[in-house]
Amino acid sequence: MTDAVGSIDMPDAEDEAPESKKKTRKGGKRGKKGPLGRLALFYRQIVAELRKVVWPTRSQLTTYTSVVIVFVVVMIGLVTVLDMGFARVIKYVFG
C-alpha cells in the first residue's frame, strides 16, 4: 500500500541515514557538571520558565477567585439537594 510519500513497509530513501554518519553524544553538558552544577542549572531553568508566565492582575485574580467560590457553593447546594431527595426516596421505598 502506498501513499503520496511512499510505501508504508519501506521508508523513503532520504529518511535512511548510514549508521556510520550518526554521531553519539556522551554526557553532553550534564555529564561534565557535578550534582551542585545540575542543581544550579535546574534552578536557573525554573526561574527562566517563571519569567515567561503571564501573571494575572489583582482584579483578574479577585474575579477568578469569586467565580470559583460561587461555583463551588452552587455545586455543594446541588449535591445537598440531590442527596436529601435520594434519602427521602430511599426512606419511602424501604420504609
Side-chain angles (χ1 to χ4, degrees):
M1 180 172 188
T2 61
D3 56 2
V5 176
S7 174
I8 293 175
D9 297 328
M10 300 170 67
D12 293 338
E14 42 195 58
D15 289 344
E16 295 178 1
E19 295 297 322
S20 62
K21 289 187 179 180
K22 290 186 178 180
K23 295 181 181 179
T24 57
R25 270 182 88 177
K26 294 184 180 179
K29 290 183 180 179
R30 279 193 253 163
K32 297 178 183 176
K33 295 183 178 180
L36 291 178
R38 288 193 304 251
L39 188 62
L41 174 66
F42 180 68
Y43 177 74
R44 283 194 306 271
Q45 288 174 345
I46 289 174
V47 170
E49 288 298 320
L50 285 175
R51 286 188 179 144
K52 295 178 188 177
V53 173
V54 178
W55 297 100
T57 63
R58 182 175 291 274
S59 64
Q60 288 174 332
L61 190 62
T62 305
T63 303
Y64 297 156
T65 303
S66 61
V67 166
V68 168
I69 290 172
V70 167
F71 178 77
V72 168
V73 167
V74 168
M75 291 308 294
I76 288 172
L78 179 67
V79 170
T80 301
V81 168
L82 287 173
D83 184 46
M84 290 171 56
F86 285 134
R88 288 188 184 199
V89 168
I90 295 297
K91 275 188 181 180
Y92 179 75
V93 170
F94 294 110

